[in-house]
Amino acid sequence: MQFEQIKGFAFDLDGVIADTARFHGQAWHQVADKVGTPWTRGLADGLKGVSRMDSLEMILKAGGHENDYSQDEKVKLATEKNDNYLKLVATLTPSDILPGMKAFLDELKAAGYSLVLASASKNAPKVLKYLQLADYFEGIVDPASLSHSKPDPEIYVRAAELLQLPADQVAGVEDAQAGIQAINGAGELSVGIGANLHDADVRFDSTADVSLTNIKKQLG
Ligand code: BG6
Ligand code: MG
């Protein structure tokens, strides 16, 4: 894929723009303790990018508890997790934007790229407000309107629709394997941030390294 044809960027939020993946993890850890599922690094990583109810199902399944809770009890557990998560994110300020991301967003805007958000989080508008970044994005894919969680490409297909661009003119930015698979499945250019994102077209160890120049460099 040629970088020159890219006209818009779709961003994941949690773990890309702010370190909220840590807060999701903390809040889910409490649920795992409650239901008796051992909290492991593998489970924590596997939950990244996955919707609220699908995350709960994964936690229950990891401990062999998938048949132990009624639908009402599951909704209660997910609500408890979200209440705890909301307490954690309410402390966010613009100083919590991950290193280099504000500069990257400014660089993209100055260069004329259109930006949208492709986060699975129903709390994304709130988090963007706390970070004072809401004005950077021309649209936010509403995760409540989606039928499938990442790694399904649906959210990135919708992001391209919001951008009014064909897939091959869109780049997606993600910190999780499920997200990279979703971008690739949508036929867009995938930019991965973090370790073990082997399928990403372009990959960085840290948000601090992400810039237009460095993306172009990797694409040769
Ligand atoms: C994703 C996170 O962005 O949003 C997941 O990576 C999270 O960890 C998902 O479960 C859904 O978030 P929320 O805020 O709607 O529960
Ligand atoms: Mg993420």
Side-chain angles (χ1 to χ4, degrees), residues 62-83:
H65 303 296
E66 60 268 46
N67 300 318
D68 298 356
Y69 293 87
S70 68
Q71 190 53 29
D72 280 358
E73 288 168 329
K74 286 181 190 174
V75 169
K76 227 175 130 198
L77 285 169
T79 304
E80 244 174 73
K81 180 269 172 179
N82 195 50
D83 290 345

